Amino acid sequence: MIVAAGGCLGAVALVMTSRRGLTEWPFALTFALLIAIGEMVQFRVDRSRNRAPIATSAALAYVMLRGPALHVPPDVAQIIAVTGVATLAGIVPRAVAGLGWDLVISSRRVLSVGCAAVVFAVLTPHKFFWNGSWTHALPLAGTMLLAVLSAGLMDALVGAGQATERLNRPFPAALRDELSVMGRIGMAMGISGMLLAAGTSLIGLWAPPLVIVPLLLTQFAFRRFASAQRTYRTTVRSMARSTEIAGFSSPGQNARTASLAVAIGNDLGLTPPRMEALEYAALLSGVGQLALADPSPGGASLLRSREERQQAAEIGASIIERSGVLDHVAEIVRHSNDPYRQGRANNPDIPVESGIVNVALAYEQLVGEGTGQTPGKAMENIGLGIGAEYDPVVVESLRRVIGRGFRF
């Protein structure tokens, strides 16, 4: 639906622009080139979002062109048409080269730019130009900011709906996450677009080469951050596999537990930082078993005594703490084998993530490889421990996740 909406909007705008003719084509060509280059060098910051800061900033800047350098500012249809064509021009080389690309994210950008163009056109008279005075600058800057905010809000609403449909996250939680990203990252790209628009409106096409430098630095910083995140996840997954290599868990057990824990976390609407900590904790929940004398058959830690399991959790938390950067993950692992009645029910400081890891690990060991239990039978066994062993809120979330068809 997102791709269809973006495609239809772009097609209609292209037809209207072709009939009216392209105005100020050097500016249109310059910003189309910036958008296309930004699309070609897009990258993935995390596992759910692609970023193209140069393309986003250039598209927003083209929306807000008003000044003595332009005789005729672009209308809404031309802005959407240029953005759509340039976006496709940037995606095609990535597709031909076999690089990753996300048409949904690009379509979201076209929709948000269209929203910004409408807001800016409605609030700014077509014949309004900035002449360099404060009387013009202040209302124009306010209108630019409103256009950027409207673009961010549109993208946040569409992204929240997408996360709700794809990840089964509650819509309010998904919208909260999208607005948080908009506040931290989206506004930086929006303000860069405002600076690019102001510079181009005053001095013409000399401005993009000058303003593009901070955009390139932003691109470089984003890519370094994304690379660090990938290295981080790879290191944690390598640590998690140590228990499988040593025979303390069955092959893939930690990854299966983590996938179920993430699904429950999405259902409960945890924030992205807590989701990341939850996944790491689920992956590393069995590290402490390396200190035990002998492995459990098939990695079935539920067969061990409670004392052994809690000792393993404490040892695992101590190992994780030695990394110096995963203290929040260590706290989750430390309480991951605490009975609910003796733990979180009486101590709200214990994170709910510990209860999620506890339930996810129990379900995996009942349904995972070689156990033979059906999901229904496993839920029945887990249900017997509600309120005593397992957090009722987490078990109810697990029931919803399984009911939606989750399978390892």
Side-chain angles (χ1 to χ4, degrees):
M1 291 179 62
I2 296 172
V3 174
C8 290
L9 181 64
V12 171
L14 185 60
V15 171
M16 294 175 63
T17 302
S18 62
R19 289 180 176 179
R20 297 176 183 175
L22 195 67
T23 60
E24 300 285 359
W25 68 265
F27 290 88
L29 182 61
T30 299
F31 281 91
L33 184 61
L34 286 177
I35 296 170
I37 292 174
E39 284 288 345
M40 283 191 287
V41 296
Q42 67 174 258
F43 57 95
R44 187 175 290 273
V45 175
D46 54 31
R47 285 159 291 180
S48 60
R49 293 183 177 92
N50 276 41
R51 295 294 175 200
I54 293 177
T56 302
S57 297
L60 290 175
Y62 191 57
V63 169
M64 301 179 288
L65 291 179
R66 283 289 195 281
L70 290 90
H71 297 292
V72 181
D75 59 17
V76 173
Q78 180 170 317
I79 291 168
I80 297 174
V82 169
T83 302
V85 171
T87 298
L88 287 177
I91 288 177
V92 169
R94 292 186 66 88
V96 171
L99 300 175
W101 54 282
D102 194 332
L103 189 58
V104 175
I105 298 295
S106 299
S107 299
R108 283 171 53 178
R109 189 175 301 113
V110 173
L111 292 173
S112 62
V113 167
C115 180
V118 171
V119 170
F120 191 77
V122 169
L123 297 178
T124 307
H126 191 67
K127 296 182 179 180
F128 180 87
F129 290 94
W130 183 26
N131 60 7
S133 67
W134 285 105
T135 56
H136 279 195
L138 290 178
L140 185 60
T143 306
M144 286 181 171
L145 185 59
L146 288 175
V148 169
L149 289 174
S150 67
L153 183 59
M154 167 64 77
D155 186 71
L157 288 170
V158 175
Q162 184 185 6
T164 300
E165 187 274 334
R166 183 165 54 91
L167 301 175
N168 293 307
R169 290 180 66 78
F171 183 80
L175 182 59
R176 174 204 63 204
D177 297 341
E178 291 290 336
L179 290 175
S180 175
V181 172
M182 184 191 77
R184 291 184 286 108
I185 300 176
M187 287 307 297
M189 294 185 287
I191 292 174
S192 297
M194 291 172 62
L195 293 175
L196 180 57
T200 306
S201 298
L202 284 178
I203 64 175
L205 295 179
W206 290 103
L210 300 176
V211 182
I212 201 68
V213 174
L215 289 178
L216 290 174
L217 294 177
T218 302
Q219 175 93 3
F220 177 75
F222 276 138
R223 294 187 73 91
R224 289 293 299 270
F225 174 76
S227 176
Q229 289 294 97
R230 286 193 298 269
T231 302
Y232 210 48
R233 286 193 293 270
T234 301
T235 302
V236 171
R237 290 187 177 276
S238 298
M239 290 175 61
R241 289 200 60 212
S242 62
T243 59
E244 300 176 13
I245 296 173
F248 284 82
S249 60
S250 60
Q253 182 184 68
N254 296 323
R256 291 192 296 271
T257 302
S259 66
L260 178 56
V262 168
I264 296 174
N266 277 321
D267 181 77
L268 294 176
L270 299 184
T271 61
R274 294 180 67 182
M275 287 291 297
E276 184 179 58
L278 171 63
E279 182 180 12
Y280 289 168
L283 286 169
L284 300 175
S285 59
V287 169
Q289 294 188 63
L290 294 172
L292 300 179
D294 57 314
S296 303
S301 59
L302 292 179
L303 300 179
R304 292 187 177 275
S305 67
R306 180 171 302 283
E307 291 73 17
E308 286 182 313
R309 287 157 52 194
Q310 290 185 321
Q311 179 188 11
E314 183 63 39
I315 294 173
S318 299
I319 294 173
I320 296 170
E321 282 178 333
R322 292 180 183 179
S323 68
V325 293
L326 294 175
D327 291 349
H328 55 306
V329 176
E331 188 66 15
I332 297 172
V333 173
R334 176 172 286 111
H335 298 286
S336 61
N337 279 294
D338 291 356
Y340 174 73
R341 182 176 296 169
Q342 301 172 16
R344 180 172 165 78
N346 299 315
N347 185 2
D349 292 333
I350 295 177
V352 69
E353 291 92 324
S354 296
I356 294 175
V357 173
N358 191 14
V359 169
L361 182 60
Y363 183 84
E364 194 285 328
Q365 293 187 9
L366 292 171
V367 179
E369 294 183 0
T371 59
Q373 287 199 18
T374 63
K377 181 64 175 177
M379 287 302 307
E380 182 180 339
N381 289 333
I382 291 176
L384 297 175
I386 292 179
E389 181 70 27
Y390 306 117
D391 188 333
V393 173
V394 177
V395 174
E396 185 59 31
S397 176
L398 173 65
R399 198 181 306 277
R400 291 193 297 268
V401 169
I402 301 304
R404 287 193 289 261
F406 176 89
R407 293 294 182 270
F408 291 121

